[in-house]
Amino acid sequence: MGETQIREAKWQSEEEQAEVGIWRCIFGFTEMAVVKCAIDLGIADAIESHASPMTLSELSTALGCAPSSLYRIMRFLMHRGIFKEKINSQGSLVYTQTCLSRRLTRHGEQSMAPLILLESSPVMLAPWHCLSARVRATETPPFDVAHGGDIWRYSATNPGHSQLINEAMACDARLVVPSMIRGCPEVFDGLSTLVDVGGGTGTTLQVLVKAFPWLRGINFDLPHVVSVAAEFTGVEHVGGDMFEGVPEADAVFLKWVLHDWGDDECIQILKKCREAVPDDKGKVIIVEAVIEEADQGDKLTEVRLALDMVMMAHTTTGKERTSKEWGFVLGKAGFSRYTVKPLIRTVQSVIEGFP
Ligand SMILES: C[S@@+](CC[C@H](N)C(=O)[O-])C[C@H]1O[C@@H](n2cnc3c(N)ncnc32)[C@H](O)[C@@H]1O
């Protein structure tokens, strides 16, 4: 093939990709919307709790749905690998779960439904319409345009939305913290007390004190969040503002908190954390995404970059950071060194900062 033909073939293949790619841009939202619909209907829960795979007739009766509409929803989801169909021993076409659809159950071990319900809620979708305001940086941040204040102020006066956030965060903690306990349990060696700053309703500490029963946990969050947190042996709930102070402990844990803030606020929070831990064995344990400087082909890079866009839409100054950027904020806050430990098949890594 000559050089002109090679260039022509490359152009043709780019054109073909663009023909499909542009439709993904136009209708990309349908995936989230239909998955939310599946969660609202309880499709994955119904199949999970049924003794065997279900026919369309069984599923529509169980869910109280019109079979013709449910069929179209299932066809769409199956095309994306969410649910599959097979012929059972009686020769009927039946729907079964897949690894992906199991994550749409409400309470299953791998459930990620609460995160989908949060991100697809009207409150969280509205700011996306004003994303350009954040990029211009001269205008009011997207969440404030949509709701008249930042996400934490909005949540303090909207208990329903606060609950959606708390449940979504608890769902992530139930997946990430066990991955951390499996992948780098040494992070907790020698600790007797641990304060989880911005710990939500305390799921992270519940999982940790169960795994390390000698550990005493302090779950620290805004007063309206800890006021609805369930009691758990070994975990004390403390309400307060991390910009004013952090309860003392051997180490501070911060998961998905610092990415909500710009560098200046991060440094302020980390300085308060630094004051709360002892000089000798103290440390901060940060669980956050680490953006690669150069693409190394990690399948979760796309998710981390999407999370960075979520920070743009939903927070005033938040962002995802590279390892170097984590080092910068830690250094400015008075931590002399830091390490980064990636977690297998997990969006977040573990960053430890030492005095
Ligand atoms: C994205 S959530 C992370 C929750 C939890 N760490 C997790 O990953 O499961 C951020 C948390 O920071 C808390 N937060 C926001 N501003 C705070 C402040 N000024 N002081 C203490 N907590 C705060 C929020 O209430 C929320 O629970």
Side-chain angles (χ1 to χ4, degrees):
M1 214 189 267
E3 212 174 288
T4 320
Q5 283 165 306
I6 292 174
R7 218 178 302 129
E8 174 71 13
K10 198 169 161 244
W11 183 80
Q12 279 296 347
S13 124
E14 270 181 35
E15 264 300 308
E16 272 169 37
Q17 282 176 31
E19 278 159 14
V20 176
I22 192 64
W23 287 107
R24 211 174 296 129
C25 298
I26 296 166
F27 289 133
F29 72 94
T30 56
E31 183 155 19
M32 179 193 246
V34 178
V35 162
K36 180 191 188 294
C37 166
I39 296 169
D40 288 343
L41 294 173
I43 299 176
D45 292 295
I47 297 178
E48 191 68 22
S49 59
H50 198 257
S52 54
M54 297 175 90
T55 61
L56 176 64
S57 157
E58 285 169 339
L59 191 58
S60 34
T61 304
L63 302 176
C65 291
S68 57
S69 299
L70 186 59
Y71 167 79
R72 288 160 61 197
I73 293 281
M74 294 306 285
R75 182 174 61 185
F76 177 97
L77 291 168
M78 283 191 302
H79 188 71
R80 280 159 174 74
I82 311 171
F83 302 107
K84 61 181 182 211
E85 61 185 359
K86 63 172 195 177
I87 307 283
N88 71 6
S89 52
Q90 283 92 54
S92 309
L93 204 60
V94 285
Y95 297 121
T96 68
Q97 294 283 50
T98 61
C99 293
L100 196 44
S101 68
R102 264 192 204 98
R103 286 165 168 78
L104 304 186
T105 54
R106 287 267 186 173
H107 303 292
E109 226 175 77
Q110 296 176 298
S111 168
M112 292 184 85
L115 274 160
I116 296 165
L117 293 177
L118 172 67
E119 295 304 333
S120 62
S121 67
V123 172
M124 295 310 240
L125 289 180
W128 287 102
H129 292 280
C130 330
L131 188 58
S132 55
R134 169 81 186 267
V135 185
R136 286 196 187 98
T138 48
E139 296 170 25
T140 313
F143 196 94
D144 298 48
V145 175
H147 304 298
D150 80 3
I151 186 166
W152 310 120
R153 203 168 313 150
Y154 179 86
S155 302
T157 49
N158 289 277
H161 192 68
S162 185
Q163 192 183 341
L164 266 187
I165 295 182
N166 294 342
E167 286 172 2
M169 295 308 123
C171 151
D172 184 68
R174 278 192 293 273
L175 297 167
V176 174
V177 181
S179 154
M180 200 180 159
I181 294 169
R182 282 191 303 274
C184 49
E186 70 283 359
V187 166
F188 302 99
D189 282 354
L191 301 181
S192 310
T193 54
L194 182 67
V195 56
D196 186 7
V197 171
T201 46
T203 305
T204 289
L205 284 175
Q206 283 183 21
V207 176
L208 286 175
V209 299
K210 224 165 146 188
F212 309 111
W214 57 88
L215 198 61
R216 192 173 67 78
I218 304 162
N219 181 53
F220 182 71
D221 206 298
L222 293 168
H224 75 272
V225 177
V226 292
S227 68
V228 295
E231 292 303 319
F232 194 85
T233 307
V235 178
E236 180 195 353
H237 296 294
V238 176
D241 181 348
M242 62 193 171
F243 288 100
E244 286 170 12
V246 164
E248 288 183 3
D250 291 340
V252 174
F253 193 91
L254 292 139
K255 174 178 159 302
W256 263 2
V257 171
L258 296 175
H259 77 163
D260 293 333
W261 304 96
D263 289 355
D264 291 346
E265 293 99 340
C266 262
I267 293 163
Q268 280 178 50
I269 299 164
L270 285 167
K271 277 185 177 164
K272 294 295 176 196
C273 296
R274 172 70 190 83
E275 285 165 20
V277 300
D279 286 338
D280 49 355
K281 62 174 181 173
K283 63 178 173 181
V284 283
I285 306 162
I286 299 167
V287 181
E288 291 278 6
V290 176
I291 302 284
E292 292 169 342
E293 304 266 1
D295 194 352
Q296 285 155 24
D298 186 325
K299 287 187 182 132
L300 288 171
T301 296
E302 192 178 312
V303 182
R304 296 180 190 115
L305 294 176
L307 202 54
D308 188 42
M309 294 299 103
V310 174
M311 292 306 111
M312 269 202 173
H314 291 161
T315 70
T316 306
T317 53
K319 62 174 182 175
E320 300 304 329
R321 294 177 167 84
T322 62
S323 173
K324 225 187 271 171
E325 288 169 333
W326 282 115
F328 172 76
V329 288
L330 280 162
K332 286 280 178 195
F335 292 88
S336 64
R337 69 186 177 90
Y338 75 102
T339 59
V340 178
K341 293 178 175 149
L343 294 171
I344 294 168
R345 294 196 344 227
T346 305
V347 170
Q348 297 101 321
S349 293
V350 178
I351 305 148
E352 289 178 275
F354 302 91

